[in-house]
Amino acid sequence: MFDAAIAELGEKGFAGTNLEKIAGRAGVALSTLYRRWGNLTGLLQDLVDELTLDLSPPDTGSLDGDLAALGRLILQLHRHPVHRPWMDAVTAAAVHDPAARAVLSRTIMARIQRAAGVVEAGAARGEIPVDTDAADVIRMLAAPFYYRMYVSGEPLTDDLPERVAGAVAAAVRAGTLRRTTP
C-alpha cells in the first residue's frame, strides 16, 4: 500500500493524490483503505511513521559527533529515492493545505523529540549547559538542510553535516540556546 502511495505522491503531488488512486494502483478495494486509515492523511501519517521508525539517535560519545551524525542522517534521508518524494509533496502542499500541514508538523515534532536525546546526553556528560533547549538545538541543526532544499536551491553538500554541527555545537556551548521560561 505504501509503495502505491509513494508512487502517487511522487507523480501527482499531495493535491493530486487520493485514496481512490492509491487503491487502484495497489489493486485493493477502496473500502479497505477507508477501514484501515479513514482518509489520506491517516494513510500518509502511517507511511511517514513507517519510513522514519528506525531513525534512532546516534551515540558517538560527544555532542559534536552526535550532531554531525544527525546531520548525515538528514542528508541521507533527503537523498533517498523513497523519502524525498513524499517529503517534497507534503512540504509543498503544507503551505495551503491544513491536512498536509498536520502530517508535516506531526512528523517534524516526532523527529525533534526522538533526536533531542543527543542534546540531553551532551548535557548529562557536562559538555553543555543543563538548561539547553534540546528542541531548539535540533531545529537549528536541521534548518540549513531544509533551507537549501526548499528555499535557496543550493546543493546539500557532503561536508554540510559537519559544518552545521560544528556551528550549532559552538552556539550551544556558548549558552545561546537555553530554555526560556515564560
Side-chain angles (χ1 to χ4, degrees):
M1 199 62 53
F2 291 156
D3 290 341
I6 290 167
E8 282 295 318
L9 282 170
E11 291 175 17
K12 310 276 184 352
F14 186 85
T17 299
N18 60 47
L19 288 181
E20 187 173 87
K21 291 177 183 176
I22 294 170
R25 189 176 210 129
V28 300
L30 181 59
S31 60
T32 302
L33 299 185
Y34 277 111
R35 246 189 332 271
R36 173 120 188 226
W37 288 287
N39 58 37
L40 178 62
T41 304
L43 182 137
L44 291 180
Q45 192 64 65
D46 276 1
L47 164 67
V48 170
D49 291 347
E50 177 75 19
L51 289 173
T52 59
L53 190 61
D54 63 345
L55 301 180
S56 300
D59 183 6
T60 66
S62 74
L63 180 67
D64 292 67
D66 290 351
L67 291 176
L70 281 172
R72 286 189 296 276
L73 182 59
I74 294 169
L75 185 64
Q76 175 187 354
L77 280 174
H78 294 290
R79 289 179 174 171
H80 193 278
V82 172
H83 182 273
R84 188 64 190 260
W86 79 257
M87 187 70 175
D88 289 351
V90 173
T91 300
V95 174
H96 301 289
D97 187 313
R101 167 63 57 202
V103 170
L104 185 61
S105 295
R106 183 172 180 265
T107 300
I108 289 170
M109 288 310 301
R111 287 180 178 182
I112 288 171
Q113 290 172 349
R114 192 174 293 138
V118 304
V119 179
E120 294 158 1
R125 289 188 299 263
E127 294 179 81
I128 58 174
V130 295
D131 61 345
T132 298
D133 188 324
D136 274 353
V137 173
I138 302 306
R139 286 183 193 101
M140 184 181 269
L141 177 73
F145 295 88
Y146 293 97
Y147 177 82
R148 285 177 178 226
M149 287 186 322
Y150 298 117
V151 178
S152 73
E154 296 170 76
L156 297 176
T157 58
D158 289 338
D159 66 334
L160 188 61
E162 283 73 18
R163 289 177 41 226
V164 171
V168 172
V172 172
R173 280 192 289 277
T176 61
L177 292 173
R178 290 185 162 167
R179 284 187 295 276
T180 59
T181 54

